[in-house]
Amino acid sequence: MASKASIPKGTRDFSPAEVSKRNYIIKTIQENFQKFGFQPIETPTFENSDTLMGKYGDEGDRLIFKILNSGDFLKKVGENTFSTKDSLKFAPKISEKALKYDLTVPFARYVVQHQNEIDFPFKRYQIQNVYRADRPQKGRFREFTQCDADVIGSDSLWQEVEFIQLYDAVFSNLKLEGVHIKLNNRKILSGLAEVIGESDKLIDFTVALDKLDKIGEEGVKKEMLDKGISENAIENIQPIFNFKGDFSEKITLLESLLSNSEVGQKGIKELKFLQNAIDAMPLQTAKLDLDVTLARGLNYYTGAIFEISAPENVNMGSIGGGGRYDDLTGIFGLKNMSGVGISFGLDRIYLVLEELDLFPETITENTKVIFINFGETEAMYAMKAVRALRAKNIAAELYPDAAKMKKQMTYADKRNIPYVVLAGGNEMNAEVYNLKNMKTGEQNAVNLEELIAKFV
RNA sequence: GUGGAUGUAGCUCAGUUGGUUAGAGCACUGGUUUGUGGUACCAGGGGUCGUGGGUUCGAGCCCCAUCUUCCACCCCA
């Protein structure tokens, strides 16, 4: 029985127009990745479960798609495991593979596995789909595309500078103005936790702080109290709730706040380095912000943290993010490899460009000219011209059937094909082609040479 | 994983306190126009009202379950 045609929730089909638009974004990102010296790699769509499990925290484990083993896998499960009905214990017995959850962890695995073939520092980019068993929402899918660039094997802060410039270059090329590159540093967060004497609650502290723009000052304080952070400690960091001003003013404020924290001072030094570099080489369209409430990827980020927020007039969360991780490959047994990387969220950038109507108009235009089919001998005459045009790299096609003129014209119009050639008996005798501009309606007879010249 | 909305033609949506044969616009097909599309006019095709149960003489409308999509939380691109 034929089932109703459908796709799993959180996944999408892409129409020709959508693919064209996606390719436009991908091409822009890819060109810039290459311009900045990154080389492409690809990793499998699925990995061994133990490569992924435990790398993203408990929440992450829950969101990893697990792949059922092949064969009669239940036979291999012991009666004990079976009868306890404990999914956590049961799952690994029947599933040894999982869909990849992001590009960073598989990249770390790749680096460790191929360390002897890689020339460090290794600059790689990767544009692939990743999968999350999340509940879909606006701009949130279960299959989506990430575009990552990472450098591994260098702890130079110039890499951070380059990534800020890379973000700026891509969004400038896409004509997306008003993008904010939000910057923070794990060392600043550690410093803050340190000076209030709550270093052991760093994660709770930062996760709560991260919600400042969402639940407000009171909400954050309440969450901190709930997590066991003392009232006194919260008072000590009161200034960061009114953290206003430009980059320099914020740094000054942090300097006094973190004067007693060694790690905090280190974070400030890094921020200053980036600020100096960007001051000397200003960004084109993006804006660099210092945002101490930014706390993403704390499971592995150790230095800089980036997050890209869409222009304020669109309701979309972050459209990219990244950061510095000092020991990502350590979990796979390769120590002392500092890395830093960023990611572009293709699907969200798409939604933003769509909402702001920023896709170029010609993007869905592919075929430049279509030939009307008047019958077999006329089709042969047309096909010779089609072949000549294609030889010159011009996308041309012949309508396959000798259908009614109206139908063929409508087809050209719907396909957004800018030119139509009408060549019937009269034109054949005169050895010309009647070229019609679909936009202006203009029409004139040209010979084959002139026809080709129109398009090159 | 938690909470709240939603689903009627290919698409966007009407559909009265439950009452005959479920509508519109757009799209599609054909015609006005047998060598000219995008504008106009005429005609036509297309829906077991998400799915499965239930209440009722009678359900698109009420009840239950389930799925989809959307929104918020958690988390995140």
Side-chain angles (χ1 to χ4, degrees), chain A residues 192 209 212-213 216-218 220-221 224 234-254 256-257 290-293:
Chain A
L192 288 172
L209 190 57
L212 182 59
D213 57 344
E217 182 177 335
E218 292 313 309
V220 171
K221 286 180 174 169
M224 285 182 177
I234 296 172
E235 242 167 71
N236 283 334
I237 46 135
Q238 179 61 34
I240 65 170
F241 288 112
N242 316 307
F243 199 60
K244 295 268 153 43
D246 64 21
F247 209 102
S248 305
E249 290 165 342
K250 288 179 178 173
I251 295 249
T252 309
L253 203 146
L254 282 178
S256 66
L257 205 54
L290 173 56
D291 182 355
V292 288
T293 69

Side-chain angles (χ1 to χ4, degrees), chain A residues 46-290:
Chain A
F46 54 94
E47 295 269 351
N48 292 324
S49 296
D50 54 15
T51 301
L52 305 181
M53 297 298 285
K55 307 299 192 296
Y56 309 98
D58 292 344
E59 192 67 23
D61 283 358
R62 204 193 79 207
L63 298 177
I64 291 174
F65 273 110
K66 291 148 195 90
I67 298 173
L68 207 53
N69 287 347
S70 311
D72 200 354
F73 49 82
L74 280 186
K75 282 225 173 87
K76 297 176 188 160
V77 180
E79 279 303 322
N80 282 345
T81 320
F82 204 66
S83 57
T84 55
K85 296 194 172 165
D86 183 341
S87 300
L88 283 179
K89 287 213 175 80
F90 191 61
K93 306 276 185 189
I94 59 169
S95 164
E96 289 154 359
K97 299 173 287 298
L99 295 182
K100 67 163 165 275
Y101 180 84
D102 73 354
L103 300 179
T104 308
V105 168
F107 171 55
R109 192 226 79 223
Y110 176 96
V111 168
V112 175
Q113 196 172 328
H114 300 276
Q115 49 187 289
N116 296 326
E117 311 149 27
I118 292 173
D119 302 311
F120 293 101
F122 183 42
K123 299 174 71 170
R124 84 85 172 81
Y125 77 84
Q126 202 171 342
I127 299 175
Q128 288 189 268
N129 284 349
V130 301
Y131 302 85
R132 295 187 188 177
D134 205 351
R135 189 172 287 205
Q137 272 180 48
K138 183 178 183 184
R140 219 170 189 192
F141 308 98
R142 304 220 281 190
E143 178 187 52
F144 63 99
T145 308
Q146 282 191 332
C147 313
D148 277 26
D150 290 77
V151 182
I152 196 153
S154 163
D155 51 18
S156 165
L157 284 171
W158 288 111
Q159 300 299 349
E160 275 87 335
V161 172
E162 287 211 307
F163 281 124
I164 293 168
Q165 291 173 332
L166 177 53
Y167 268 134
D168 181 51
V170 167
F171 291 118
S172 297
N173 287 169
L174 291 173
K175 308 273 186 288
L176 181 59
E177 291 175 17
V179 164
H180 285 246
I181 302 173
K182 294 196 275 187
L183 183 65
N184 196 9
N185 197 297
R186 166 70 170 256
K187 298 183 175 91
I188 299 289
L189 294 168
S190 299
L192 288 172
E194 189 184 328
V195 295
I196 61 170
E198 301 280 5
S199 284
D200 55 327
K201 294 201 175 66
L202 173 65
I203 300 289
D204 285 337
F205 169 74
T206 50
V207 166
L209 190 57
D210 188 49
K211 295 177 186 165
L212 182 59
D213 57 344
K214 212 172 213 174
I215 60 178
E217 182 177 335
E218 292 313 309
V220 171
K221 286 180 174 169
K222 184 175 178 299
E223 178 160 336
M224 285 182 177
L225 285 172
D226 288 346
K227 296 286 184 184
I229 294 167
S230 75
E231 209 155 327
N232 192 28
I234 296 172
E235 242 167 71
N236 283 334
I237 46 135
Q238 179 61 34
I240 65 170
F241 288 112
N242 316 307
F243 199 60
K244 295 268 153 43
D246 64 21
F247 209 102
S248 305
E249 290 165 342
K250 288 179 178 173
I251 295 249
T252 309
L253 203 146
L254 282 178
E255 273 174 329
S256 66
L257 205 54
L258 295 174
S259 56
N260 292 324
S261 165
E262 194 183 324
V263 62
Q265 289 299 321
K266 245 178 124 183
I268 289 170
K269 209 176 143 199
E270 293 188 7
L271 288 175
K272 277 182 164 173
F273 182 91
L274 300 184
Q275 187 202 11
N276 280 339
I278 299 301
D279 275 354
M281 298 170 282
L283 302 178
Q284 301 170 65
T285 56
K287 197 168 171 305
L288 189 64
D289 281 343
L290 173 56

